[in-house]
Amino acid sequence: MIDFLVAVLRSGTPLIYAAMAGMLAQRAGVWHLGLEGLMIMGACASVLAAAATGSIPLALLVAIGVCLVFSLLFWVVIEKLRASPIIAGLGLTGLGLGGTDLAVQAVYGTQGSVRAPIGLPHPEGFGAFSSLSILVFAMPVVVFALFLLTRRTRFGLRLAACGEHPFAARSVGADPGRMRLIALLLGGVLCALAGAELALGSLQIFSINMTAGRGFMAFSAVIFGAGHPIGSAAAAVFFSVVEALGIRAQLSFGNAVPHQLLQMLPYIATIAGIWLSGRLRGGARAPSGLGELRDA
Amino acid sequence: MNSRLVVVLRALAYVVVALVLVGIVFELMGFSSLLMFRSIAEGAFLSKSALLGSLRWAVPLFLSALGVLIAFRAGFFNVGTQGQFYLGAIGAATAVHWLDGAPAFIVVPAALIAGAAGGALWAFWPGLLRVRSGTDEVLTTLMANFIAGLFLIYVTSGPLKDPTGTGELSASKPVAAAYRISTSSGLSPLIIAIAVASAVLVWVLMNRTAFGVLSGLAGRNPVMVTWQGARLSRLGLAAFLLSGLFAGLAGAVEFMGPSGRLVSGFMPAHGFTAILIALVGGLSVVGVVGSSLFFGGLASASLYLPIIAGLPSAAIDVINAAIALFITARTGPRLRFLSRFRRKEAQS
């Protein structure tokens, strides 16, 4: 049971950090499909920096820097050039998947995976939970802090106002463009942490396409969780429970059922999740200003 | 100026912006971007064999892009082209497997139909979820891509596995020569005919039928179409079905033609490129013909890049992604001094 909980926390934490990034963007009215790309950039940058410098704080800073730059680029493209956030987000994801492949080959001259000499620190004295990194332990704090930020502060209300009705938000003096910038940049930091946890949390390795759709899953968790921080985190946990169950099932009756079919489980659960969230709330309920990045 | 021309010029301008940006990034990474662009041009367009290679990659992309065009025009972001393409290839492979030994004039059409049906089926359920429950089709079709990718691995390492295969990647048995619709060069009269017929069919469908007109209107203003008395859900489902049908057909053509066998994880960027082609082509059939030649060239060049310029083929993925980032931009940068200038112009 404890083992199962540890497995869920390990696979769920990157998902939750990315989902928090998606949640912030969602509340600001941006349909953020670039999570996957930012996540893999964070994973790649943190491993390459850890291998180059041998320092974990530096690796995290580099990952955060890279994700901030690309979040800024995403913001410029959708806000200033008024591109479709869906297509631009997919472009950002493609940039991440292809760019990290390229970066690994530029640095190491080979295709495949890169090992980091060090990983994220693991706190001592928690029994089985000591195999988890500090980012797992920090996760509940981050989720709660984001809950307070988005639901209990003036900033959070303004953010939601910019997502729901940019025109009204503007009339009370909130600049929707700037609020989206803040939300996307904060999201960039969270995606960098998600990627770093994925790559340096327990395996200390980066491999091509290692995110395997987790960014999209995190985005679905935001939809399933109705854009609420705790709801989105809970949805992300649900998806990783399904994934952990799938891995369990592969171990126990992998010979009877082809394991590729079991690997489909998280994706199927995701589809079921977003379908249910639409059903339960009578149609997809997204912020009404979502996708229309008009300021006036 | 003609508004359509503006759309095309703007698309071209953003393609150039993306290429320049990628060039700068490559220089920073220590690759020579000039060498890269030159080798792309040579590998894709500057010789007869290069042009034929580009055409080979352009045809399946073109068919998939037609599917994207139909869905996008109707206002549905069907980004599941990759999965529908895979299911098309799997459908065709299943048909060939079952009908093994039958004469070619039965097997080839049956496989093409099975492929189209497979793709249509894989687009149908996200469409159904969309029109019935309002489930966001972007997410369902994205997830469907991952499921289709896993299904392809399952099929090629299970039911359709080539027992004599020794390679690292699992693959199906090669298609018997009698059933191949082209050699590995990827071009044959039949394939060209399929592409041309599809182009004409989609053009007529989108421009000369009630479906085309209504779905185009539905994409812009669904409420109005409902007031006009059209059944929006039926229209949407038809758009999804047709969209998947063409992606599936592309999969079948690729499997029976140039590829000749089912390999797990083949052409992973196909669906994404098809979406780009449809967008760069301004969602018009004529535009898509032109843009699929361009992206077909890029796809063809990606095979030569490692040989000519010593660049990883992922470079092409990065170029495509950069184009995707910019291609839907609707305005230029809104610089403050420019808008002031325009206001003065309007006042005078």
Side-chain angles (χ1 to χ4, degrees):
Chain A
M1 187 59 211
I2 296 268
D3 287 351
F4 188 73
L5 199 61
V6 168
V8 166
L9 279 172
R10 182 175 291 141
S11 70
T13 302
L15 214 54
I16 290 174
Y17 277 108
M20 291 301 105
M23 179 274 297
L24 283 172
Q26 171 101 340
R27 293 187 79 79
V30 179
W31 206 237
H32 199 336
L33 286 173
L35 295 176
E36 174 98 3
L38 289 175
M39 216 170 148
I40 195 145
M41 284 179 201
C44 182
S46 63
V47 167
L48 290 187
T53 64
S55 152
I56 282 295
L58 268 180
L60 286 179
L61 280 180
V62 170
I64 288 173
V66 168
C67 287
L68 281 179
V69 168
F70 280 93
S71 298
L72 182 67
L73 178 68
F74 183 57
W75 177 77
V76 169
V77 169
I78 61 172
E79 185 76 32
K80 292 289 166 191
L81 303 183
R82 298 206 289 158
S84 149
I86 292 179
I87 302 296
L90 291 175
L92 186 60
T93 292
L95 216 53
L97 296 174
T100 51
D101 191 347
L102 211 59
V104 167
Q105 297 197 42
V107 177
Y108 290 90
T110 55
Q111 212 167 5
S113 50
V114 178
R115 253 174 204 295
I118 41 169
L120 292 171
H122 295 221
E124 300 288 325
F126 288 94
F129 293 99
S130 285
S131 67
L132 297 169
S133 82
I134 47 162
L135 280 180
V136 179
F137 287 87
M139 180 267 290
V141 182
V142 171
V143 172
F144 189 66
L146 284 173
F147 165 72
L148 291 182
L149 179 73
T150 52
R151 311 289 292 201
R152 294 287 183 273
T153 63
R154 185 183 161 84
F155 170 81
L157 286 176
R158 291 195 155 195
L159 192 70
C162 290
E164 285 288 350
H165 204 312
F167 184 66
R170 179 169 280 263
S171 70
V172 296
D175 180 351
R178 190 174 299 161
M179 295 303 259
R180 288 191 198 109
L181 177 63
I182 297 171
L184 287 180
L185 288 181
L186 270 177
V189 174
L190 290 165
C191 284
L193 295 180
E197 163 64 23
L198 189 67
L200 294 177
S202 52
L203 296 171
Q204 303 182 20
I205 200 167
F206 172 79
S207 55
I208 306 302
N209 287 343
M210 78 180 299
T211 43
R214 284 192 180 80
F216 295 124
M217 236 179 246
F219 184 82
S220 313
V222 177
I223 309 263
F224 194 14
H228 189 287
I230 307 228
S232 309
V237 169
F238 167 68
F239 293 150
S240 56
V241 165
V242 173
E243 192 181 354
L245 282 177
I247 293 170
R248 269 288 154 92
Q250 282 175 46
L251 293 177
S252 45
F253 53 98
N255 295 328
V257 184
H259 65 99
Q260 289 92 358
L261 301 185
L262 293 172
Q263 280 169 358
M264 290 176 191
L265 280 176
Y267 305 109
I268 294 171
T270 308
I271 292 169
I274 44 180
W275 173 72
L276 262 181
S277 70
R279 276 265 118 147
L280 295 178
R281 266 171 285 120
R285 268 280 299 140
S288 55
L290 200 69
E292 27 178 321
L293 294 181
R294 281 175 297 165
D295 284 343
Chain B
M1 219 188 330
N2 188 335
S3 68
R4 217 176 249 181
L5 193 65
V6 174
V7 171
V8 172
L9 284 180
R10 188 183 291 151
L12 286 181
Y14 278 112
V15 169
V16 171
V17 168
L19 289 180
V20 169
L21 193 83
V22 169
I24 294 170
V25 172
F26 277 27
E27 288 290 340
L28 289 179
M29 280 175 134
F31 296 113
S32 160
S33 54
L34 264 184
L35 185 62
M36 177 185 74
F37 286 126
R38 197 198 297 155
S39 57
I40 287 176
E42 279 171 14
F45 305 110
L46 291 183
S47 74
K48 197 177 163 219
S49 64
L51 271 177
L52 286 177
S54 303
L55 203 56
R56 170 256 179 274
W57 292 99
V59 169
L61 284 170
F62 172 69
L63 291 174
S64 287
L66 284 180
V68 177
L69 180 154
I70 296 171
F72 276 37
R73 276 239 200 147
F76 295 108
F77 273 102
N78 171 16
V79 292
T81 313
Q82 184 71 40
Q84 291 143 24
F85 173 77
Y86 278 166
L87 261 284
I90 293 170
T94 313
V96 169
H97 184 71
W98 277 349
L99 297 172
D100 201 17
F105 68 87
I106 294 175
V107 175
V108 171
L112 289 176
I113 291 169
L121 195 71
W122 204 239
F124 180 70
W125 64 261
L128 197 66
L129 288 178
R130 176 75 171 88
V131 299
R132 279 287 166 81
S133 319
T135 310
D136 186 76
E137 78 276 14
V138 176
L139 289 169
T140 48
T141 50
L142 271 172
M143 293 297 141
N145 286 345
F146 291 106
I147 295 174
L150 285 166
F151 189 59
L152 180 67
I153 299 177
Y154 162 68
V155 167
T156 48
S157 58
L160 294 177
K161 186 180 163 64
D162 179 8
T164 61
T166 50
E168 284 173 27
L169 286 172
S170 49
S172 76
K173 262 193 306 196
V175 179
Y179 304 148
R180 285 284 287 274
I181 57 175
S182 83
T183 58
S184 51
S185 78
L187 291 174
S188 70
L190 180 59
I191 286 188
I192 302 288
I194 290 174
V196 172
S198 306
V200 172
L201 205 72
V202 174
W203 189 87
V204 170
L205 185 75
M206 297 315 284
N207 296 302
R208 291 288 180 273
T209 64
F211 168 80
V213 175
L214 281 175
S215 70
L217 287 174
R220 273 173 248 147
N221 192 343
V223 180
M224 194 190 96
V225 177
T226 331
W227 283 356
Q228 297 282 329
R231 298 272 295 276
L232 203 56
S233 61
R234 211 181 272 180
L235 206 64
L237 273 185
F240 268 102
L241 269 178
L242 283 169
S243 174
L245 187 145
F246 280 102
L249 187 63
V253 165
E254 178 63 39
F255 165 72
M256 310 265 294
S259 285
R261 69 192 317 186
L262 215 54
V263 182
S264 65
F266 75 126
M267 298 174 80
H270 178 88
F272 185 57
T273 316
I275 293 169
L276 278 188
I277 290 172
L279 288 170
V280 172
L283 297 186
S284 87
V285 176
V286 180
V288 166
V289 172
S291 61
S292 55
L293 285 174
F294 173 72
F295 282 94
L298 283 186
S300 156
S302 75
L303 300 178
Y304 295 103
L305 271 188
I307 305 161
I308 303 178
L311 266 171
S313 54
I316 298 292
D317 296 341
V318 173
I319 292 178
N320 282 344
I323 294 175
L325 198 56
F326 288 104
I327 195 59
T328 51
R330 277 172 291 170
T331 53
R334 275 178 291 170
L335 301 172
R336 195 156 287 179
F337 69 90
L338 265 182
S339 64
R340 204 174 290 156
F341 176 72
R342 274 200 207 109
R343 216 173 297 144
K344 267 190 200 141
E345 204 176 45
Q347 279 165 0
S348 61

